[in-house]
Structures are given as C-alpha cells and as structure tokens.
Amino acid sequence: MALRVLGLSTSPRERGNTDLLVREALRGAESVGAAAEYVSLHGLAIGPCVECYACAATGGCRVADDFQAILDKLLAADRLIVAAPVFFMGVCAQAKLLIDRCQCLWARKYLLRQPLYPDGPRDRRALVIAVGGTKSKKMFECVGMTMKYWFDVLEVRHAASLFVNQVDGRGDILKHPSAMQEAFRLGAALADAAAPTPERPATVELFGPAVPGRARGGPDGG
Ligand SMILES: Cc1cc2nc3c(=O)[nH]c(=O)nc-3n(C[C@H](O)[C@H](O)[C@H](O)COP(=O)(O)O)c2cc1C
C-alpha cells in the first residue's frame, strides 16, 4: 500500500514561501508513489489550549473546533511534512496553536500511559520546513526544539529539515537557486519506503540571500 504523506502548511500567507515549499515536497513524495495530501491551516478555526486538563482524564481534547479533524489526519499519516514560517524566532502562531492542542497526546502518553497505536508503534517520519526573512540562523534551533517535543507525542521520527533564511517577500522562494529542488528531493526521500530509519534529522540549511538586498532587519545583525 502507498505511504500516506500529509503536507501541513501552517502559514497564514497562501502561496507564501513555506506553502510553496510544502507543495513541492509533496510533489516529490508523489513522484515515488506516495499518496499525498495537502492541508493548510489557513481558514481553519483552531483555538488555543485552554489548560482545562480535561484530557488528563480522557486523553482527548474537549475544545470543539477544527483541531480534531487535523489531529485525525496527523495520526493517520505515515509521513508528515510540516512547514512553518519563523515568526519572532519560533514557529508562527497558527502552527503553535495546533501543537499546543496536542497536549491531549501528552496526557495520553505521560499521564494515562495509553499507547497512541494499540496495534504497536508505527514507522512514522517527518520533514520540517521553515523559512525566515532575516540572516539569523538561531531561529531554526527554536523551531527544531518545538518540533522535537511535538514529534515525541505524535510518535513520529524527525527525519529531515529544510531551513531557509533571508527569504521574506511572498513567493520569493521561487527566486531561490535551490530551495524548491531541495524540497522536492527531501519529499521524495521522506516517502521512500525502503529508506533506512534515520538516527537523527538530516538538515539542509540554505543560508544566504536568495534576493540580493532583501533580507529583513533584526537585532542579531540580520
Ligand atoms: C509576525 C512576523 C514575524 C516574523 N518574525 C521573523 C523572525 O523572527 N525572524 C525572521 O527571520 N523572519 C521573521 N519574519 C519573516 C518571515 O519569516 C518571512 O517573511 C517568511 O518568508 C514568511 O514565510 P511565508 O511566506 O511562508 O509565510 C516574520 C514575519 C512576520 C509576519
């Protein structure tokens, strides 16, 4: 059966840089026979975790909005491609809202000691895509730490990352000399069922100006 690859675009900007990259990574996954699904958080209603801890008793989230439908997709996928723009050194708020709502999975795992998959653990892997407008490189450490903790409760192995800095304007990623090709390649590699289980994430960092003179300012010289 074909691997199910879910591409999750979390940016509020449609056809923005991370959105274009996740679509390209999905094309790569499809090129090796995967069943690819694209989902954007844009236009969905996903509120914050309200810290009610109802999940401590049930393992589920009692807040009724679009979260549950996305969670079902996240849990059904064999491979995840998660793309987020960097906002103030971390993932954008839309991504963070979704991640925080997965506290119900944390409750299942660490409070209720319930297996996520009753039939046993699955071989699930993820590719992380993040883009920032400044020269900063540290921002991707923040993204990486958030993903590490999220993937722990999602029971997904962080297989690879694609980090691109100094890309700011909507769609400027298309002017980057290699980012779209890397997204395609990493998407195909993620969906290769025969690829060995990665011990640690393979990280592709594309650091440098894609569009001369366009890097956004920032306090760390960026
Ligand atoms: C609210 C906001 C905060 C941002 N914060 C950062 C930041 O901390 N570091 C950075 O490099 N770029 C920052 N940016 C720039 C975006 O990361 C950049 O424009 C990126 O290409 C957007 O990706 P998208 O088109 O997929 O949304 C910020 C942009 C916005 C709108």
Side-chain angles (χ1 to χ4, degrees), residues 11 13 17-18 85-89 131 133-134 139 167-168 216:
S11 173
R13 191 155 68 169
N17 299 315
T18 51
V86 174
F87 281 6
F88 285 91
M89 297 300 277
V131 176
T134 71
M139 57 192 173
V167 174
D168 204 17
R216 163 186 292 252

Side-chain angles (χ1 to χ4, degrees), residues 9-206:
S9 179
T10 66
S11 173
R13 191 155 68 169
E14 285 178 294
R15 298 261 160 201
N17 299 315
T18 51
D19 188 60
L20 291 169
L21 287 171
V22 75
R23 289 170 189 266
E24 192 64 8
L26 282 173
R27 280 199 339 112
E30 277 178 328
S31 75
V32 296
E37 183 181 10
Y38 165 86
V39 171
S40 171
L41 297 187
H42 181 78
L44 298 187
I46 297 182
C49 170
V50 295
E51 247 186 318
C52 66
Y53 276 104
C55 60
T58 65
C61 182
R62 73 164 178 77
V63 178
D65 59 13
D66 290 330
F67 167 70
Q68 193 58 51
I70 298 297
L71 179 62
D72 291 347
K73 289 180 187 294
L74 286 171
L75 295 182
D78 301 300
R79 301 286 186 269
L80 300 178
I81 303 171
V82 182
V86 174
F87 281 6
F88 285 91
M89 297 300 277
V91 295
C92 64
Q94 290 78 358
K96 193 60 167 49
L97 288 170
L98 171 67
I99 292 167
D100 289 355
R101 290 287 293 285
C102 291
Q103 180 71 351
C104 57
L105 301 183
W106 179 89
R108 267 187 228 181
K109 181 169 184 165
Y110 291 107
L111 299 179
L112 301 172
R113 308 277 171 194
Q114 288 174 356
L116 198 53
Y117 299 101
D119 308 343
R122 299 186 182 176
D123 175 16
R124 286 168 28 94
R125 305 180 193 180
L127 164 64
V128 173
I129 296 173
V131 176
T134 71
K135 291 179 186 167
S136 170
K137 297 172 183 170
K138 284 210 169 79
M139 57 192 173
F140 300 111
E141 292 172 21
C142 304
V143 172
M145 288 303 290
T146 299
M147 294 299 164
K148 178 181 162 86
Y149 276 72
W150 191 34
F151 291 164
D152 175 61
V153 298
L154 282 174
E155 294 189 8
V156 62
R157 191 177 285 269
H158 188 172
S161 299
L162 174 59
F163 296 145
V164 189
N165 75 356
Q166 299 187 69
V167 174
D168 204 17
R170 178 192 214 139
D172 274 354
I173 201 71
L174 297 174
K175 299 173 193 160
H176 194 284
S178 57
M180 295 298 279
Q181 293 89 321
E182 284 297 325
F184 186 96
R185 185 183 68 78
L186 289 167
L190 184 77
D192 177 359
T197 309
E199 283 305 313
R200 57 177 61 93
T203 302
V204 176
E205 297 171 328
L206 303 179

